[in-house]
Each structure stands twice: as structure tokens, then as C-alpha cells.
Amino acid sequence: LAFYLERCKAYGRPPAAVAIRRDIYVGASHAEAEAVAGPIVAKGYRGFAPDALVWGSVDEVAARFRELAAMGYTDVIVRPLPDDQPKVMASLARLAEVREAVRQA
């Protein structure tokens, strides 16, 4: 992030957005998110460090996104953790709640 912002400044190009990608799962509750994402993460999901992934309840995911905002990121590009299509769709639907929770903070 610091390098990117420094390069933008060096070239006189303020960024319109500062994005980061995170693989996520927004559960209906903490327990449900842990039941879905926990085993995926425990298997070494795509070789990512567990702290590079975001999963939890709406409030937990919103808290992680607020941490990213505090670091200077303006946008989060998401990719779903699970492959199960109904779970992916439910998680993505709950992102609207996450966005609202982040905005209200």
C-alpha cells in the first residue's frame, strides 16, 4: 500500500481507489461461518495465510473491512471462499449488510 501510494504521488496521479482483494465468506452467524469456512481454511486454502482471508458474521466481516479502511484501502474486491453455489450466493447477499455496517461506523 505504501509503495503504491508513493508511486502515485511520484507520478502526480492521486488514486481514485485503493483496492485490496480478499477471499471471503459472510455467514448468517459466527458459528455458521466457522462451519463453512473453517474447514476450507484449515486445509490451506490456495496457500494463503489464514489472516489474509476474511470470514465470519456480518459484524465480524464489517470489522475486518473497517480495519482495511483504517490502513488506507478504499475498496475490497471479493472472491468467495467456498465452492458451494448456494452458500456463495447467500454470502454475497449478506455483503449488502456488511457494506451498510461499514458505512454506519
Side-chain angles (χ1 to χ4, degrees):
L1 176 63
F3 179 75
Y4 174 70
L5 294 175
E6 188 275 324
R7 292 287 79 203
C8 288
K9 184 177 179 181
Y11 287 98
R13 299 192 60 147
V18 181
I20 188 169
R21 193 193 83 208
R22 287 291 179 253
D23 291 27
I24 70 160
Y25 183 73
V26 184
S29 66
H30 171 80
E32 193 265 339
E34 189 62 38
V36 172
I40 296 168
V41 174
K43 289 180 184 176
Y45 177 80
R46 297 179 183 251
F48 287 110
D51 64 347
L53 307 170
V54 177
W55 76 94
S57 66
V58 168
D59 290 339
E60 291 167 322
V61 172
R64 290 286 309 277
F65 283 10
R66 283 191 293 272
E67 290 171 6
L68 294 171
M71 295 167 71
Y73 293 101
T74 61
D75 295 84
V76 181
I77 301 165
V78 300
R79 179 170 68 177
L81 276 168
D83 291 331
D84 180 280
Q85 195 65 16
K87 291 191 184 320
V88 168
M89 297 306 291
S91 173
L92 292 175
R94 287 186 284 269
L95 272 177
E97 296 175 60
V98 170
R99 180 170 52 190
E100 187 59 31
V102 171
R103 283 184 180 163
Q104 290 179 358

